[in-house]
Amino acid sequence: MPLTKPPPPPPKPEFGEPSTPKDFNDNFKKKELTKYMNPCAVEEKQSMKCLDDNNYDKRKCDYYFMQYKDCKKKWMEERRRLRRAGQL
């Protein structure tokens, strides 16, 4: 049986801006050292709700997990930028 090239992966969907509140950086600077603050709380809740609704079948919730991952990636890039600029 000859080897065939696998099909290309589907294109990654484009997401809008993350749900991070506008004053999050100010609140982040003021927070206690041990307090956890999640700038992507909305995306996190949506992905967990999807799991609950779909009997924890993660394949059915790929869109929500990709959205959450994208939000976290943008947030970490922003934190790195602020840290390099000495603002965080």
Side-chain angles (χ1 to χ4, degrees):
M1 179 171 169
L3 296 176
T4 60
K5 191 174 183 180
K12 183 180 175 188
E14 291 293 321
F15 302 112
E17 286 299 310
S19 65
T20 307
K22 299 296 179 204
D23 62 343
F24 189 83
N25 286 334
D26 296 331
N27 292 339
F28 188 79
K29 290 177 191 176
K30 297 176 196 171
K31 76 174 181 71
E32 298 173 24
L33 187 59
T34 58
K35 186 176 178 188
Y36 175 71
M37 293 180 75
N38 186 359
C40 302
V42 172
E43 289 84 354
E44 180 182 31
K45 286 179 184 176
Q46 287 175 337
S47 60
M48 296 310 291
K49 182 180 182 321
C50 180
L51 283 177
D52 286 340
D53 293 345
N54 291 294
N55 201 21
Y56 291 86
D57 185 358
K58 191 175 177 186
R59 291 174 300 168
K60 293 180 180 177
C61 301
D62 281 343
Y63 176 81
Y64 295 103
F65 281 99
M66 286 172 51
Q67 191 175 18
Y68 176 70
K69 234 170 131 176
D70 191 57
C71 178
K72 289 296 263 193
K73 181 180 175 183
K74 287 178 182 176
W75 167 241
M76 291 308 292
E77 289 170 357
E78 177 67 12
R79 282 193 59 195
R80 283 187 202 104
R81 186 188 67 74
L82 290 172
R83 210 176 288 135
R84 287 183 190 129
Q87 297 175 1
L88 189 64

